[in-house]
Coordinates of all heavy atoms in Angstrom, one line a residue:
M249 N -165.4 -69.1 35.7 CA -163.9 -69.1 35.5 C -163.6 -69.0 34.0 O -164.1 -69.8 33.2 CB -163.4 -70.5 36.1 CG -161.9 -70.6 35.9 SD -161.2 -72.0 36.8 CE -161.6 -73.4 35.7
K250 N -162.7 -68.2 33.7 CA -162.3 -68.0 32.2 C -161.2 -68.9 31.9 O -160.2 -69.0 32.6 CB -161.9 -66.5 32.0 CG -161.6 -66.2 30.6 CD -161.1 -64.7 30.4 CE -160.8 -64.5 29.0 NZ -160.4 -63.2 28.8
M251 N -161.4 -69.6 30.8 CA -160.3 -70.6 30.4 C -159.7 -70.1 29.1 O -160.4 -69.6 28.2 CB -160.9 -71.9 30.2 CG -160.0 -73.1 30.0 SD -160.8 -74.6 30.1 CE -160.7 -75.1 28.4
S252 N -158.4 -70.2 29.0 CA -157.7 -69.8 27.8 C -157.2 -71.0 27.1 O -156.6 -72.0 27.7 CB -156.6 -68.9 28.1 OG -155.9 -68.5 27.0
V253 N -157.3 -71.1 25.8 CA -156.8 -72.1 25.0 C -155.8 -71.6 24.0 O -156.0 -70.6 23.3 CB -157.9 -72.8 24.1 CG1 -157.4 -73.9 23.3 CG2 -159.0 -73.3 25.0
P254 N -154.5 -72.1 24.0 CA -153.5 -71.6 23.2 C -153.8 -71.8 21.7 O -154.5 -72.8 21.3 CB -152.2 -72.3 23.6 CG -152.7 -73.6 24.3 CD -154.1 -73.2 24.9
A255 N -153.3 -70.9 20.8 CA -153.6 -71.1 19.3 C -152.7 -72.2 18.8 O -151.5 -72.3 19.2 CB -153.3 -69.8 18.7
V256 N -153.3 -73.0 18.0 CA -152.5 -74.1 17.3 C -152.8 -74.0 15.8 O -154.0 -74.0 15.4 CB -153.0 -75.5 17.9 CG1 -152.2 -76.5 17.1 CG2 -152.7 -75.6 19.3
A257 N -151.8 -73.8 15.0 CA -152.0 -73.8 13.6 C -151.5 -75.1 13.0 O -150.5 -75.6 13.3 CB -151.1 -72.6 13.0
V258 N -152.4 -75.6 12.1 CA -152.1 -76.8 11.4 C -152.4 -76.6 9.9 O -153.5 -76.1 9.5 CB -153.1 -78.0 11.9 CG1 -152.8 -79.3 11.2 CG2 -152.9 -78.2 13.4
W259 N -151.4 -76.8 9.1 CA -151.5 -76.7 7.6 C -150.6 -77.6 6.9 O -149.8 -78.3 7.6 CB -151.4 -75.3 7.2 CG -150.0 -74.6 7.7 CD1 -148.8 -74.9 7.3 CD2 -149.9 -73.7 8.8 NE1 -147.9 -74.1 7.9 CE2 -148.6 -73.4 8.9 CE3 -150.8 -73.1 9.6 CZ2 -148.1 -72.5 9.8 CZ3 -150.3 -72.2 10.6 CH2 -149.0 -71.9 10.7
G260 N -150.7 -77.7 5.7 CA -149.9 -78.6 4.9 C -148.5 -78.0 4.6 O -147.8 -77.4 5.5
R261 N -148.0 -78.0 3.4 CA -146.7 -77.6 3.0 C -146.5 -76.1 3.1 O -145.4 -75.6 3.3 CB -146.3 -78.0 1.6 CG -146.3 -79.5 1.5 CD -145.9 -80.0 0.1 NE -145.9 -81.3 -0.2 CZ -144.9 -82.2 0.1 NH1 -143.8 -81.7 0.5 NH2 -145.1 -83.5 -0.1
R262 N -147.6 -75.4 3.0 CA -147.5 -73.9 3.0 C -148.4 -73.3 4.1 O -149.6 -73.7 4.2 CB -147.9 -73.3 1.7 CG -146.9 -73.6 0.6 CD -147.3 -73.0 -0.7 NE -147.4 -71.5 -0.5 CZ -148.0 -70.7 -1.4 NH1 -148.5 -71.2 -2.5 NH2 -148.0 -69.4 -1.2
A263 N -147.9 -72.3 4.9 CA -148.8 -71.7 5.9 C -149.8 -70.9 5.1 O -149.6 -70.3 4.1 CB -147.9 -70.8 6.8
P264 N -151.0 -70.6 5.7 CA -152.0 -69.8 5.2 C -151.6 -68.4 5.1 O -150.8 -67.9 5.9 CB -153.3 -70.0 6.0 CG -152.7 -70.5 7.4 CD -151.5 -71.2 7.0
S265 N -152.1 -67.6 4.2 CA -151.8 -66.2 4.1 C -152.4 -65.4 5.2 O -153.5 -65.7 5.7 CB -152.2 -65.7 2.8 OG -151.9 -64.4 2.6
H266 N -151.7 -64.5 5.7 CA -152.1 -63.5 6.6 C -151.5 -62.2 6.3 O -150.5 -61.7 6.9 CB -151.8 -63.9 8.1 CG -152.3 -62.9 9.2 ND1 -153.7 -62.9 9.4 CD2 -151.8 -62.0 9.9 CE1 -153.9 -62.0 10.4 NE2 -152.7 -61.4 10.7
S267 N -152.1 -61.6 5.3 CA -151.6 -60.2 4.8 C -152.0 -59.1 5.7 O -153.2 -58.8 5.6 CB -152.0 -60.0 3.3 OG -151.7 -61.1 2.5
I268 N -151.2 -58.6 6.5 CA -151.6 -57.7 7.5 C -152.0 -56.3 6.9 O -151.3 -55.8 6.1 CB -150.5 -57.4 8.5 CG1 -150.2 -58.7 9.3 CG2 -150.8 -56.3 9.5 CD1 -149.0 -58.7 10.2
T269 N -153.2 -55.9 7.3 CA -153.8 -54.6 6.8 C -153.9 -53.6 7.9 O -154.3 -52.4 7.6 CB -155.1 -54.9 6.0 OG1 -156.0 -55.6 6.9 CG2 -154.9 -55.6 4.7
A270 N -153.9 -54.1 9.2 CA -154.1 -53.2 10.3 C -153.4 -53.8 11.5 O -153.2 -55.0 11.6 CB -155.6 -53.1 10.6
I271 N -152.9 -52.9 12.4 CA -152.1 -53.3 13.5 C -152.5 -52.4 14.7 O -152.6 -51.2 14.6 CB -150.6 -53.4 13.2 CG1 -149.9 -54.1 14.5 CG2 -150.0 -52.1 13.0 CD1 -148.4 -54.5 14.1
L272 N -152.5 -53.0 15.9 CA -152.8 -52.3 17.1 C -151.9 -52.9 18.2 O -151.8 -54.1 18.3 CB -154.3 -52.4 17.5 CG -154.6 -51.7 18.8 CD1 -155.8 -50.8 18.5 CD2 -155.0 -52.7 19.8
I273 N -151.3 -52.1 19.1 CA -150.6 -52.6 20.2 C -151.3 -52.1 21.5 O -151.7 -51.0 21.7 CB -149.1 -52.1 20.2 CG1 -148.4 -52.6 19.0 CG2 -148.4 -52.5 21.5 CD1 -147.0 -52.1 18.9
T274 N -151.6 -53.0 22.5 CA -152.3 -52.7 23.7 C -151.5 -51.7 24.5 O -150.3 -51.5 24.3 CB -152.6 -53.9 24.4 OG1 -151.4 -54.6 24.7 CG2 -153.6 -54.9 23.7
D275 N -152.2 -51.0 25.4 CA -151.5 -50.0 26.3 C -150.4 -50.6 27.1 O -149.5 -49.9 27.4 CB -152.6 -49.3 27.1 CG -153.5 -48.3 26.4 OD1 -153.1 -47.9 25.3 OD2 -154.7 -48.2 26.9
D276 N -150.6 -51.9 27.5 CA -149.6 -52.5 28.4 C -148.4 -53.0 27.6 O -147.4 -53.5 28.1 CB -150.1 -53.6 29.2 CG -150.7 -54.7 28.4 OD1 -150.6 -54.8 27.1 OD2 -151.3 -55.6 29.0
Q277 N -148.5 -52.9 26.2 CA -147.5 -53.3 25.2 C -147.1 -54.8 25.4 O -146.0 -55.2 25.1 CB -146.2 -52.4 25.4 CG -146.5 -51.0 25.1 CD -145.3 -50.0 25.2 OE1 -144.2 -50.4 25.6 NE2 -145.5 -48.8 24.7
Q278 N -148.0 -55.6 25.7 CA -147.8 -57.0 25.9 C -148.6 -57.8 24.8 O -148.3 -59.0 24.6 CB -148.2 -57.5 27.3 CG -147.3 -57.0 28.3 CD -147.7 -57.5 29.8 OE1 -148.7 -58.2 29.9 NE2 -146.9 -57.2 30.7
T279 N -149.5 -57.2 24.1 CA -150.3 -57.9 23.1 C -150.3 -57.0 21.8 O -150.5 -55.8 21.9 CB -151.7 -58.1 23.5 OG1 -151.7 -58.9 24.8 CG2 -152.5 -58.9 22.5
I280 N -150.0 -57.7 20.7 CA -150.2 -57.0 19.4 C -151.4 -57.7 18.7 O -151.6 -58.9 18.8 CB -148.9 -57.3 18.5 CG1 -147.7 -56.7 19.1 CG2 -149.1 -56.8 17.0 CD1 -146.4 -57.1 18.4
V281 N -152.3 -56.8 18.1 CA -153.4 -57.3 17.4 C -153.2 -57.0 15.9 O -152.9 -55.8 15.6 CB -154.7 -56.6 17.9 CG1 -155.9 -57.1 17.2 CG2 -154.9 -56.8 19.4
T282 N -153.4 -57.9 15.0 CA -153.3 -57.6 13.6 C -154.6 -58.0 12.9 O -155.2 -59.0 13.3 CB -152.1 -58.5 13.0 OG1 -152.3 -59.9 13.2 CG2 -150.8 -58.0 13.5
G283 N -155.0 -57.3 11.9 CA -156.1 -57.6 11.0 C -155.5 -57.9 9.7 O -154.5 -57.4 9.3
S284 N -156.2 -58.8 8.9 CA -155.6 -59.2 7.7 C -156.6 -59.0 6.5 O -157.8 -58.8 6.6 CB -155.2 -60.7 7.7 OG -156.4 -61.5 7.6
Q285 N -156.0 -59.0 5.3 CA -156.8 -58.9 4.1 C -157.7 -60.1 3.9 O -158.7 -60.1 3.3 CB -155.8 -58.9 2.9 CG -156.4 -58.6 1.6 CD -155.4 -58.4 0.5 OE1 -154.2 -58.6 0.7 NE2 -155.8 -58.1 -0.7
E286 N -157.4 -61.2 4.5 CA -158.2 -62.5 4.4 C -159.3 -62.5 5.5 O -160.1 -63.5 5.6 CB -157.3 -63.7 4.7 CG -156.2 -63.9 3.7 CD -155.0 -63.0 3.8 OE1 -154.8 -62.5 4.9 OE2 -154.3 -62.8 2.8
G287 N -159.5 -61.4 6.2 CA -160.6 -61.3 7.2 C -160.3 -61.9 8.6 O -161.3 -62.1 9.3
Q288 N -159.1 -62.2 8.9 CA -158.7 -62.7 10.2 C -158.2 -61.7 11.2 O -157.7 -60.7 10.7 CB -157.6 -63.8 10.1 CG -157.9 -64.9 9.1 CD -156.6 -65.5 8.6 OE1 -155.5 -65.1 8.8 NE2 -156.7 -66.6 7.8
I289 N -158.4 -61.9 12.5 CA -157.8 -61.0 13.5 C -156.9 -61.9 14.3 O -157.4 -63.0 14.8 CB -158.9 -60.3 14.3 CG1 -159.6 -59.3 13.5 CG2 -158.2 -59.6 15.5 CD1 -160.8 -58.6 14.3
C290 N -155.7 -61.5 14.5 CA -154.8 -62.4 15.3 C -154.3 -61.6 16.4 O -154.0 -60.5 16.3 CB -153.5 -62.8 14.4 SG -153.9 -63.9 13.1
L291 N -154.1 -62.3 17.6 CA -153.6 -61.8 18.8 C -152.2 -62.4 19.0 O -152.1 -63.7 18.9 CB -154.5 -62.1 20.0 CG -156.0 -61.6 19.9 CD1 -156.7 -62.0 21.1 CD2 -156.0 -60.1 19.7
W292 N -151.2 -61.6 19.4 CA -149.8 -62.1 19.5 C -149.3 -61.6 20.9 O -149.6 -60.5 21.2 CB -149.0 -61.5 18.4 CG -149.5 -61.7 17.0 CD1 -150.4 -60.9 16.3 CD2 -149.1 -62.7 16.1 NE1 -150.6 -61.3 15.1 CE2 -149.9 -62.5 14.9 CE3 -148.3 -63.8 16.2 CZ2 -149.8 -63.3 13.8 CZ3 -148.2 -64.7 15.1 CH2 -148.9 -64.4 13.9
D293 N -148.6 -62.5 21.6 CA -148.0 -62.1 22.8 C -146.7 -61.4 22.4 O -145.9 -62.0 21.6 CB -147.7 -63.3 23.7 CG -149.0 -63.7 24.4 OD1 -149.7 -62.9 24.9 OD2 -149.1 -65.0 24.7
L294 N -146.3 -60.4 23.1 CA -145.0 -59.7 23.0 C -144.3 -59.7 24.3 O -144.8 -59.1 25.2 CB -145.3 -58.2 22.5 CG -144.0 -57.4 22.2 CD1 -143.1 -58.0 21.2 CD2 -144.4 -56.0 21.9
S295 N -143.2 -60.4 24.3 CA -142.5 -60.6 25.6 C -141.6 -59.4 25.8 O -141.3 -58.5 24.9 CB -141.6 -61.8 25.6 OG -140.6 -61.7 24.7
S296 N -141.0 -59.2 27.1 CA -140.2 -58.1 27.4 C -138.9 -58.0 26.6 O -138.3 -57.0 26.3 CB -139.9 -58.1 28.9 OG -139.2 -59.3 29.2
D297 N -138.5 -59.3 26.1 CA -137.3 -59.3 25.2 C -137.7 -59.2 23.7 O -136.9 -59.6 22.8 CB -136.4 -60.5 25.5 CG -137.1 -61.8 25.4 OD1 -138.4 -61.8 25.3 OD2 -136.5 -62.8 25.3
L298 N -138.9 -58.7 23.4 CA -139.4 -58.5 22.1 C -139.7 -59.7 21.2 O -139.6 -59.7 19.9 CB -138.6 -57.4 21.3 CG -138.4 -56.1 22.0 CD1 -137.6 -55.1 21.2 CD2 -139.8 -55.5 22.3
K299 N -139.9 -60.8 21.9 CA -140.2 -62.1 21.1 C -141.7 -62.1 20.9 O -142.5 -61.9 21.9 CB -139.7 -63.3 21.8 CG -138.2 -63.4 21.8 CD -137.7 -64.7 22.4 CE -136.2 -64.7 22.4 NZ -135.7 -66.0 22.9
V300 N -142.2 -62.4 19.7 CA -143.6 -62.5 19.4 C -144.0 -64.0 19.2 O -143.4 -64.8 18.5 CB -143.9 -61.7 18.1 CG1 -145.3 -61.8 17.7 CG2 -143.4 -60.2 18.2
S301 N -145.1 -64.3 19.8 CA -145.7 -65.7 19.7 C -147.2 -65.6 19.5 O -147.8 -64.7 20.1 CB -145.3 -66.5 20.9 OG -145.8 -66.0 22.1
S302 N -147.7 -66.5 18.8 CA -149.2 -66.5 18.5 C -149.9 -66.8 19.8 O -149.5 -67.6 20.6 CB -149.5 -67.4 17.4 OG -149.2 -68.7 17.8
K303 N -151.1 -66.2 19.9 CA -151.9 -66.3 21.1 C -153.3 -66.8 20.6 O -153.7 -67.9 21.1 CB -152.0 -65.0 21.8 CG -152.9 -65.0 23.0 CD -152.8 -63.6 23.7 CE -153.5 -63.6 25.0 NZ -153.5 -62.2 25.6
E304 N -154.0 -66.1 19.8 CA -155.3 -66.5 19.3 C -155.5 -66.0 17.9 O -154.9 -65.0 17.5 CB -156.4 -66.0 20.1 CG -156.4 -66.5 21.6 CD -157.6 -65.9 22.4 OE1 -158.7 -66.0 21.9 OE2 -157.3 -65.3 23.5
I305 N -156.4 -66.7 17.1 CA -156.7 -66.2 15.8 C -158.3 -66.3 15.7 O -158.9 -67.3 16.2 CB -156.1 -67.1 14.7 CG1 -156.4 -66.6 13.3 CG2 -156.5 -68.6 14.7 CD1 -155.6 -67.0 12.2
L306 N -158.8 -65.2 15.3 CA -160.3 -65.1 15.2 C -160.8 -65.0 13.7 O -160.2 -64.3 13.0 CB -160.7 -63.8 15.9 CG -160.1 -63.6 17.4 CD1 -160.4 -62.2 17.8 CD2 -160.7 -64.6 18.3
F307 N -161.7 -65.9 13.4 CA -162.2 -66.0 12.1 C -163.7 -65.5 12.1 O -164.4 -65.4 13.1 CB -162.3 -67.4 11.7 CG -161.0 -68.1 11.5 CD1 -160.4 -68.8 12.6 CD2 -160.2 -67.9 10.3 CE1 -159.3 -69.5 12.5 CE2 -159.0 -68.5 10.3 CZ -158.5 -69.3 11.4
G308 N -164.2 -65.2 10.9 CA -165.6 -64.8 10.8 C -165.9 -63.5 10.0 O -167.0 -63.4 9.5
H309 N -164.9 -62.7 9.8 CA -165.1 -61.6 8.9 C -165.2 -62.1 7.4 O -164.5 -63.0 7.0 CB -164.0 -60.6 9.0 CG -164.0 -59.8 10.3 ND1 -163.4 -60.4 11.5 CD2 -164.6 -58.6 10.7 CE1 -163.7 -59.5 12.5 NE2 -164.3 -58.5 12.0
T310 N -166.1 -61.5 6.7 CA -166.3 -61.8 5.3 C -165.5 -60.9 4.4 O -165.5 -61.0 3.1 CB -167.7 -61.9 4.9 OG1 -168.3 -60.6 5.2 CG2 -168.4 -62.9 5.7
A311 N -164.9 -59.9 5.0 CA -164.1 -58.9 4.1 C -162.8 -58.6 4.9 O -162.6 -59.1 6.0 CB -164.9 -57.6 4.0
S312 N -161.9 -57.9 4.2 CA -160.6 -57.5 4.9 C -160.9 -56.7 6.2 O -161.8 -55.9 6.3 CB -159.8 -56.6 3.9 OG -159.5 -57.3 2.7
V313 N -160.0 -56.9 7.1 CA -160.0 -56.1 8.3 C -159.0 -55.0 8.1 O -157.9 -55.1 8.0 CB -159.6 -57.0 9.6 CG1 -159.5 -56.1 10.8 CG2 -160.5 -58.1 9.7
T314 N -159.6 -53.8 7.9 CA -158.7 -52.6 7.5 C -158.5 -51.6 8.7 O -157.8 -50.6 8.5 CB -159.3 -51.9 6.3 OG1 -160.6 -51.5 6.7 CG2 -159.3 -52.8 5.1
C315 N -159.2 -51.8 9.8 CA -159.1 -50.9 10.9 C -159.3 -51.7 12.2 O -160.1 -52.5 12.3 CB -160.2 -49.8 10.8 SG -160.1 -48.6 12.0
L316 N -158.5 -51.3 13.2 CA -158.7 -51.9 14.6 C -158.7 -50.7 15.5 O -158.1 -49.7 15.3 CB -157.4 -52.8 14.9 CG -157.3 -54.0 14.1 CD1 -155.9 -54.6 14.3 CD2 -158.4 -55.0 14.4
A317 N -159.6 -50.8 16.6 CA -159.7 -49.8 17.6 C -159.9 -50.5 18.9 O -160.5 -51.5 19.0 CB -160.8 -48.9 17.3
K318 N -159.4 -49.8 20.0 CA -159.6 -50.2 21.4 C -161.0 -49.8 21.8 O -161.4 -48.7 21.5 CB -158.6 -49.6 22.3 CG -157.2 -50.1 22.0 CD -156.2 -49.5 23.0 CE -155.8 -48.2 22.4 NZ -154.7 -47.6 23.2
A319 N -161.6 -50.7 22.6 CA -162.9 -50.3 23.1 C -162.7 -49.6 24.4 O -161.7 -49.7 25.1 CB -163.7 -51.6 23.5
R320 N -163.6 -48.6 24.7 CA -163.5 -47.9 26.0 C -164.0 -48.7 27.1 O -164.8 -49.6 26.9 CB -164.4 -46.6 25.8 CG -163.9 -45.7 24.8 CD -164.8 -44.4 24.8 NE -164.3 -43.5 23.9 CZ -164.7 -42.2 23.8 NH1 -165.6 -41.8 24.6 NH2 -164.2 -41.4 22.9
E321 N -163.6 -48.4 28.3 CA -164.0 -49.1 29.5 C -165.4 -48.7 29.9 O -165.8 -47.7 29.7 CB -163.0 -48.9 30.6 CG -161.6 -49.6 30.3 CD -160.7 -49.4 31.5 OE1 -161.1 -49.1 32.6 OE2 -159.5 -49.5 31.3

């Protein structure tokens, strides 16, 4: 069984930087994927009324994420 955990951001007076360097929208147009200069990949939910909310943030890259691509099935 696959379990999903919502993204929770906790920080002090200022939010961490996420300088977007790459963006991808899924074929179903319900998820936006962004890559950042800080090496993060973020997944965002896009609702039918065009509201964006955070879904997940992926850490681990040691350099900027400058390109995103969909995997083939």
Side-chain angles (χ1 to χ4, degrees):
M249 179 169 82
K250 184 177 178 182
M251 190 170 106
S252 179
V253 178
V256 176
V258 180
W259 52 76
R261 295 182 187 271
R262 293 183 57 195
S265 181
H266 183 72
S267 306
I268 294 174
T269 52
I271 190 166
L272 178 131
I273 299 175
T274 57
D275 290 336
D276 63 7
Q277 298 181 352
Q278 294 182 355
T279 303
I280 298 172
V281 183
T282 58
S284 76
Q285 186 174 5
E286 296 77 23
Q288 305 157 351
I289 294 177
C290 294
L291 304 178
W292 309 85
D293 280 328
L294 180 60
S295 68
S296 58
D297 58 347
L298 301 179
K299 291 186 180 179
V300 177
S301 58
S302 62
K303 183 175 182 180
E304 294 180 56
I305 186 166
L306 309 172
F307 297 95
H309 288 85
T310 57
S312 297
V313 176
T314 58
C315 182
L316 296 167
K318 292 181 276 188
R320 293 183 179 190
E321 293 184 20

